[in-house]
Amino acid sequence: MQTKLLVGTSKGLVIFSNINDAWKIDSIEFVGLPVSLVYVDDRANTWWIALSHRHWGEKLHYSENEGRNWQEVVAPSYSNYSFKSDKPASLKKIWSMQHAGINRSGALWVGTEPGGLFYSDDNGKNFHLIESLWNHPSRLDSNQWFGAGKDSPFIHSIVLDPRDSNHVYVGVSCAGVFETVDGGKNWHAKNNGLVAAYLPNPKAEVGHDPHRILVCPTQPDTIWQQNHCGIFRTTNGGDVWENVSGKGGFPKYGFALVIDENDPNAAWVIPAQSDEQRIPVDLRLAVCKTTDGGENWSFTSQGLPQANTFDLVLRHSFVKTENTLAFGTNNGNLYLSDDNGNTWKTISQNLAMVNYLAFS
Amino acid sequence: MANVKFTSALKRFFPTLAETEIAGDTVKETLCNIEKTYPGILNYLIEDNGRLRKHVNIFLKGELIKDRETLNDAVNSRDELLIFQALSGG
């Protein structure tokens, strides 16, 4: 049972502990600094956080004793890499991290902006850019990668096939889903069935905007994504994506997604009004749940504010472990459900913007 | 040897940071020599493409340095080099 909740905010890392079913703040680390990533490597319970300093750039820190001590490592570097324009590339933000497999001790994937995927085989002491993806023809030759709300594309999701550590998917905003089956030597797009309504050709092979991608750990051919243009699911490893947005177009837009660890048909999303507004639908905070693969969606809002609410849930601010779900908002509110999302309670208010959550 | 002073904000990450005499014929050389005393500090000051970070300012003899891209401004003995953070909101 996981009893810690790590909350990465724009003003520090807030660590909650669950003691006798009450979630209380244990400690606050990196006070005043923007935490842009939180990742728990459950192979050895190593906690990772990225900082996005306004002045000093992107930094990576880890803790091997649940936050009591932290060490900094040198962040991934684009030194000696450039864009097609020959303008030198530089690290803008660290968006995602994923361990590279149980059989690859100390190996990590890191997704970044402006679109580079990095690999470390020594627990983050050294990172190298995966050139095969950086030089993918869709980015290099066809100019089909572009920024979404940022100047440059970014890799926000790294999905590992638990059966095979050579099999990895990444989600890029904007470009779409890419897959490798040989540990990163070659990559190909897996966007068949997705819709990019903002492109001249909405069925383009590349140029999609997945907001969040998750794989069902026990049935890894089932992958879900909350996309800019709807909610999509594949049951064949990404060969074909099906639009499983709600009937009548709701839920459809949003950023946050969690899925069940065992049931490939169960998922939860937190819908937003539209990409033009990015507010809760009807200014009421609600979570949508499906248990039949997206055929039907139900709403759960008990315990959540139901009027005049402007809280948006960012893509990494919704997490699930067993029957416990938690999400934080851009207005610094933190909610938790311990009954599989049926009812909710407020854990904290008046935090800073919540960028990232992780259970440990 | 230039006389180098730092913003106190950097002391959070480099607690022993103090005003110091550092050799170097250019700003870049001076920063690289600072790195020898305070390992890791270079990454706080310059981007991975070598340019000065957007929200870092370096003053040489009271003036902002001219070359933020390659940090090639000449540094003379007894010059004063001030490393500050720029003012930014949030």
Side-chain angles (χ1 to χ4, degrees):
Chain A
M1 181 179 175
Q2 296 182 306
T3 57
K4 302 268 189 186
L5 178 59
L6 283 58
V7 182
T9 80
S10 61
K11 292 293 181 183
L13 175 68
V14 186
I15 301 169
F16 288 81
S17 276
N18 182 7
I19 301 170
N20 299 326
D21 286 333
W23 291 86
K24 301 292 183 190
I25 292 177
D26 252 0
S27 64
I28 304 174
E29 307 290 330
F30 305 100
V31 176
L33 302 178
V35 178
S36 58
L37 171 142
V38 180
Y39 176 67
V40 174
D41 183 347
D42 54 15
R43 293 175 299 184
N45 196 29
T46 305
W47 293 4
W48 288 88
I49 66 106
L51 299 176
S52 186
H53 289 277
R54 281 181 171 270
H55 297 95
W56 317 117
E58 312 307 303
K59 309 299 175 200
L60 260 181
H61 299 254
Y62 70 92
S63 172
E64 296 178 320
N65 55 13
E66 299 198 326
R68 287 189 290 280
N69 303 96
W70 294 89
Q71 305 290 326
E72 183 177 346
V73 298
V74 177
S77 170
Y78 285 83
S79 179
N80 300 320
Y81 289 97
S82 60
F83 296 108
K84 191 178 177 184
S85 63
D86 285 337
K87 181 183 173 188
S90 65
L91 178 65
K92 297 301 180 191
K93 191 173 177 182
I94 298 168
W95 279 89
S96 52
M97 180 179 280
Q98 169 64 48
H99 77 64
I102 301 297
N103 60 334
R104 296 189 183 199
S105 179
L108 296 164
W109 296 101
V110 170
T112 71
E113 179 183 342
L117 179 69
F118 289 81
Y119 187 81
S120 168
D121 58 10
D122 56 7
N123 253 327
K125 292 183 180 67
N126 297 279
F127 288 98
H128 67 266
L129 182 67
I130 300 298
E131 294 187 0
S132 52
L133 186 61
W134 180 249
N135 294 327
H136 194 276
S138 62
R139 194 191 77 81
L140 205 60
D141 302 331
S142 307
N143 212 26
Q144 292 172 292
W145 294 36
F146 49 90
K150 303 288 178 184
D151 292 339
S152 307
F154 52 94
I155 298 175
H156 51 70
S157 296
I158 305 170
V159 170
L160 178 71
D161 185 337
R163 300 165 300 191
D164 177 7
S165 58
N166 283 321
H167 188 200
V168 179
Y169 301 86
V170 295
V172 187
S173 290
C174 287
V177 180
F178 288 80
E179 177 191 45
T180 179
V181 293
D182 55 14
K185 295 183 181 71
N186 296 281
W187 297 84
H188 51 270
K190 296 287 273 190
N191 298 315
N192 185 27
L194 298 181
V195 176
Y198 46 83
L199 290 179
N201 174 14
K203 301 281 188 181
E205 185 182 18
V206 177
H208 296 271
D209 188 11
H211 287 170
R212 186 81 172 112
I213 302 174
L214 294 171
V215 64
C216 180
T218 51
Q219 296 203 35
D221 288 332
T222 296
I223 308 171
W224 291 78
Q225 69 169 280
Q226 171 67 70
N227 185 293
H228 192 89
C229 297
I231 304 160
F232 293 84
R233 177 176 179 260
T234 175
T235 56
N236 47 32
D239 289 343
V240 179
W241 293 91
E242 290 181 62
N243 191 336
V244 295
S245 304
K247 296 178 178 66
F250 178 75
K252 180 181 179 185
Y253 186 77
F255 292 89
L257 164 75
V258 296
I259 62 175
D260 194 82
E261 297 89 334
N262 298 304
D263 181 357
N265 293 316
W268 294 254
V269 297
I270 303 176
Q273 183 79 39
S274 66
D275 61 345
E276 294 90 355
Q277 298 189 30
R278 305 184 186 215
I279 54 173
V281 178
D282 297 329
L283 298 182
R284 297 160 58 184
L285 205 45
V287 176
C288 292
K289 175 182 181 181
T290 179
T291 56
D292 56 10
E295 187 69 24
N296 297 283
W297 292 89
S298 60
F299 293 76
T300 62
S301 59
Q302 188 177 334
L304 298 173
Q306 293 301 292
N308 307 320
T309 303
F310 289 83
D311 293 58
L312 184 70
V313 183
L314 302 176
R315 73 190 76 216
H316 295 115
S317 298
F318 191 18
V319 287
K320 177 181 183 298
T321 176
E322 299 178 357
N323 289 329
T324 303
L325 288 76
F327 69 88
T329 77
N330 64 339
N331 288 337
N333 297 311
L334 183 64
Y335 303 98
L336 185 137
S337 166
D338 51 19
D339 59 4
N340 225 19
N342 293 321
T343 62
W344 295 86
K345 54 190 174 189
T346 303
I347 298 301
S348 189
Q349 293 179 292
N350 306 315
L351 299 172
M353 176 191 290
V354 176
N355 293 323
Y356 238 102
L357 292 188
F359 280 114
S360 174
Chain B
M1 302 278 273
N3 183 40
V4 182
K5 297 178 180 177
F6 303 90
T7 169
S8 59
L10 276 168
K11 282 183 71 78
R12 177 170 185 176
F13 315 108
F14 303 93
T16 61
L17 198 62
E19 181 177 339
T20 185
E21 302 278 323
I22 299 284
D25 291 335
T26 64
V27 171
K28 180 69 177 289
E29 278 186 26
T30 307
L31 295 187
C32 289
N33 286 332
I34 293 171
E35 171 77 12
K36 293 173 186 169
T37 307
Y38 303 104
I41 197 169
L42 205 52
N43 281 332
Y44 279 67
L45 304 178
I46 65 173
E47 296 182 1
D48 37 4
N49 59 22
R51 77 184 303 276
L52 190 64
R53 290 195 181 280
K54 186 176 180 182
H55 297 297
V56 173
N57 283 334
I58 296 181
F59 293 85
L60 180 61
K61 292 184 288 185
E63 303 280 341
L64 277 171
I65 60 169
K66 294 179 175 60
D67 179 9
R68 297 180 65 94
E69 302 296 322
T70 64
L71 309 175
N72 204 31
D73 290 45
V75 177
N76 298 308
S77 185
R78 291 189 295 279
D79 281 353
E80 185 178 67
L81 200 71
L82 305 178
I83 299 175
F84 283 0
Q85 79 267 39
L87 300 180
S88 62

